[in-house]
Amino acid sequence: MQKLNKTAILKRIEKSQMREDLPEFRAGDTISVHIKIVEGNKTRVQKLDGIVLKITGKGLSKSFTIRKESSGIGVEETFSYHSPLIVKIEVSKRGKVRRAYISYMRQRSGKSARIKTKN
């Protein structure tokens, strides 16, 4: 019988809870996140489209922040990558950016908030 230390046990438990069905995306990509929302005893799926500002963490604590502009007001939402509330993620555009965290998008709106797409 092999003796396991605490980190090996934690890694094994984390690996069983990680999701493998989500696509690969980076900062600057435009994605659609389908989220399961519970209202009382009813559940529904809501779609949120936006640009990925940053991806932080690794393993089970990996998270990403997306931003969209709604009626001229910027809305940001942070999601856990491996959350069971995420139904699916669709990548609609691949963005061409030079940074891992595009915080400068917060000051931009309209035409200046566009990101070039990869070919």
Side-chain angles (χ1 to χ4, degrees):
M1 176 107 182
Q2 183 182 0
K3 187 175 180 182
L4 296 173
N5 57 6
K6 289 180 185 178
T7 55
I9 294 169
L10 285 174
K11 281 184 182 179
R12 188 175 287 177
I13 292 170
E14 279 185 1
K15 192 169 186 175
S16 68
Q17 295 178 354
M18 286 184 167
R19 294 180 64 166
E20 311 271 321
D21 60 335
L22 299 178
E24 200 63 36
F25 56 89
R26 300 172 52 171
D29 293 351
T30 304
I31 63 172
S32 300
V33 182
H34 298 260
I35 314 153
K36 193 185 305 179
I37 294 180
V38 179
E39 295 171 336
N41 56 357
K42 294 182 181 178
T43 61
R44 64 183 175 91
V45 176
Q46 183 174 348
K47 184 175 143 185
L48 182 68
D49 299 328
I51 298 173
V52 179
L53 287 184
K54 65 179 175 176
I55 300 174
T56 57
K58 63 180 183 177
L60 205 56
S61 64
K62 186 176 182 180
S63 63
F64 61 95
T65 303
I66 65 170
R67 177 183 175 84
K68 74 171 196 168
E69 248 186 64
S70 178
S71 303
I73 299 169
V75 178
E76 289 185 18
E77 194 77 36
T78 302
F79 298 102
S80 177
Y81 190 80
H82 300 285
S83 172
L85 296 178
I86 295 177
V87 177
K88 68 178 176 177
I89 297 175
E90 297 171 339
V91 179
S92 55
K93 283 192 240 174
R94 300 275 180 192
K96 183 180 176 186
V97 293
R98 294 184 179 185
R99 297 176 183 228
Y101 177 28
I102 51 174
S103 61
Y104 58 85
M105 292 299 288
R106 290 184 175 134
Q107 286 80 32
R108 298 191 179 190
S109 64
K111 278 191 171 182
S112 67
R114 290 184 295 185
I115 293 177
K116 292 182 182 178
T117 57
K118 284 186 182 177
N119 293 349

